[in-house]
């Protein structure tokens, strides 16, 4: 596996549009219904390798507008993907640029649509920067199946400027896969009312009611107000565990504070987050305002 780096050009972002296909539906009338827009929870961005892209298959059980979506072998549905690899060849045409990208796991083709009449100078300069053999680039796009051949329609392409970006991407690939693998093993808290029984750690292994003595710990999902310091930590931990699964950057502290508005104050929520972080139950991601639950 050769990860030799040849840095040329500067970093940046490129937002090219187009390249998508319109789902065709069977039936009569000649009318092609618009494909239903995916919900925000389904509009994922998954870090992948070239081999993962090439091993994607059509999910016949999830048909929308007559076209099955593409899924990875582990069952994750592909919406948008992120890939880091080396440009092994490229071909510039009047309306698009075709790349062959290799990352040590395989070789995949990518297409980037261009429009010299509307693209600004900065976009054209950035496009020229990635059209070089054997430089490493980061691209974001969607995997498409054209005639049984999988390739990537890229929306954003830029050269990477640090070898750590390649290492970080590979770690993201592993982490994302592990999070998905263990997602179904997370036990959700039992729904309960104010007189429900918690998960007790008292003598004899029995349960004890909320507010009872001993070392009982209640994992309660109710939205009732009040509660001691242990209650708020448990509720904040459950919130970060639940919301952190929906975003690569984890749960937002600001959103967490807003979720508990009227129930707990901002200092109380932040203090609970600090305690959870110090105990190793959660960890910060891109900054101290985003956290994920430690699996």
């Amino acid at each position: 596996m050769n990860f030799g780096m040849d840095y040329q050009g500067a970093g940046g972002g490129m937002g090219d549009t187009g390249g998508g296909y319109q789902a065709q539906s069977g039936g009569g009338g000649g009318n092609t219904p618009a494909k239903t827009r995916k919900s925000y929870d389904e509009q994922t961005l998954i870090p992948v390798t070239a081999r993962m892209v090439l091993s994607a298959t059509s999910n016949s059980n999830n048909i929308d507008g007559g076209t099955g979506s593409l899924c990875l072998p582990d069952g994750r549905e592909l919406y948008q993907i992120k890939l880091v690899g080396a440009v092994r060849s490229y071909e510039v045409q009047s309306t698009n640029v075709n790349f062959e990208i290799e990352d040590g796991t395989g070789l995949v083709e990518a297409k980037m649509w261009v429009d010299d009449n509307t693209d600004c100078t900065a976009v054209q300069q950035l496009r020229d920067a990635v059209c070089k053999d054997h430089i490493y680039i980061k691209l974001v796009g969607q995997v498409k199946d054209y005639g049984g051949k999988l390739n990537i329609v890229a929306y954003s392409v830029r050269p990477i400027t640090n070898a750590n970006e390649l290492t970080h991407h590979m770690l993201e690939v592993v982490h994302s896969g592990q999070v998905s693998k263990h997602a179904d093993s997370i036990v959700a808290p039992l729904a309960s009312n104010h007189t429900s029984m918690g998960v007790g750690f008292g003598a004899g292994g029995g349960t004890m009611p909320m507010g009872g003595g001993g070392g009982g710990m209640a994992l309660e999902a109710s939205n009732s107000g009040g509660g001691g310091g242990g209650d708020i930590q448990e509720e904040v931990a459950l919130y970060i565990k639940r919301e952190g699964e929906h975003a690569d950057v984890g749960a937002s502290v600001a959103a967490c504070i807003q979720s508990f508005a009227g129930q707990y104050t901002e200092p109380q929520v932040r203090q609970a987050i600090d305690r959870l972080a110090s105990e190793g139950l959660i960890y910060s991601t891109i900054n101290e305002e985003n956290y994920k639950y430690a699996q």
Side-chain angles (χ1 to χ4, degrees):
M1 186 179 296
N2 180 12
F3 290 129
M5 305 295 294
D6 178 13
Y7 306 115
Q8 301 182 36
M14 176 181 293
D16 287 311
T17 60
Y21 66 89
Q22 185 175 9
Q24 302 294 326
S25 65
N31 293 326
T32 302
K35 189 173 181 179
T36 305
R37 180 182 178 87
K38 290 181 179 292
S39 68
Y40 285 113
D41 288 343
E42 295 176 310
Q43 296 180 27
T44 56
L45 174 61
I46 301 178
V48 297
T49 63
R51 180 177 292 274
M52 292 168 66
V53 171
L54 296 174
S55 61
T57 57
S58 178
N59 181 6
S60 58
N61 294 325
N62 187 2
I63 298 178
D64 187 4
T67 301
S69 60
L70 293 172
C71 291
L72 294 175
D74 60 10
R76 285 181 290 169
E77 184 177 345
L78 292 177
Y79 182 69
Q80 294 191 85
I81 59 94
K82 177 170 60 175
L83 174 71
V84 174
V87 177
R88 294 312 182 198
S89 68
Y90 67 92
E91 180 183 5
V92 179
Q93 299 181 0
S94 59
T95 59
N96 60 76
V97 180
N98 294 316
F99 297 95
E100 286 189 332
I101 310 297
E102 187 266 331
D103 65 353
T105 69
L107 186 73
V108 64
E109 295 182 2
K111 181 190 297 288
M112 177 176 63
W113 295 96
V114 300
D115 188 346
D116 292 333
N117 295 323
T118 60
D119 290 343
C120 66
T121 302
V123 171
Q124 295 179 16
Q125 290 176 347
L126 184 56
R127 185 169 66 240
D128 293 339
V130 299
C131 291
K132 297 177 181 178
D133 287 333
H134 310 305
I135 67 166
Y136 271 75
I137 63 173
K138 175 185 289 186
L139 62 86
V140 175
Q142 288 187 311
V143 181
K144 301 294 184 181
D145 184 349
Y146 292 109
K149 185 175 182 180
L150 296 175
N151 58 21
I152 301 170
V153 175
Y155 306 143
S156 170
V157 182
R158 68 169 181 84
I160 67 174
T161 58
N162 191 311
N164 289 332
E165 292 191 62
L166 174 60
T167 304
H168 181 266
H169 175 75
M170 291 302 181
L171 291 174
E172 275 192 311
V173 171
V174 175
H175 178 262
S176 176
Q178 288 299 309
V179 168
S180 174
K181 179 180 178 180
H182 296 292
D184 294 337
S185 65
I186 297 176
V187 179
L190 296 175
S192 59
N193 54 32
H194 297 293
T195 60
S196 65
M197 305 297 285
V199 179
F201 298 104
T207 60
M208 61 181 63
M210 287 293 293
M217 178 185 293
L219 297 179
E220 186 176 17
S222 66
N223 291 323
S224 57
D231 292 337
I232 183 174
Q233 279 189 231
E234 292 156 15
E235 293 184 26
V236 170
L238 289 172
Y239 177 89
I240 292 176
K241 176 189 292 187
R242 181 179 66 252
E243 299 300 324
E245 296 298 329
H246 302 323
D248 290 338
V249 298
S252 166
V253 173
C256 183
I257 293 171
Q258 181 64 31
S259 176
F260 291 108
Q263 184 176 358
Y264 302 114
T265 65
E266 178 176 346
Q268 286 178 314
V269 174
R270 289 190 178 276
Q271 185 179 34
I273 290 174
D274 290 341
R275 288 177 179 174
L276 291 169
S278 64
E279 294 171 4
L281 296 177
I282 62 175
Y283 61 93
S284 61
T285 55
I286 58 174
N287 53 41
E288 295 302 320
E289 292 297 313
N290 292 274
Y291 285 86
K292 271 187 171 290
Y293 191 83
Q295 300 294 333

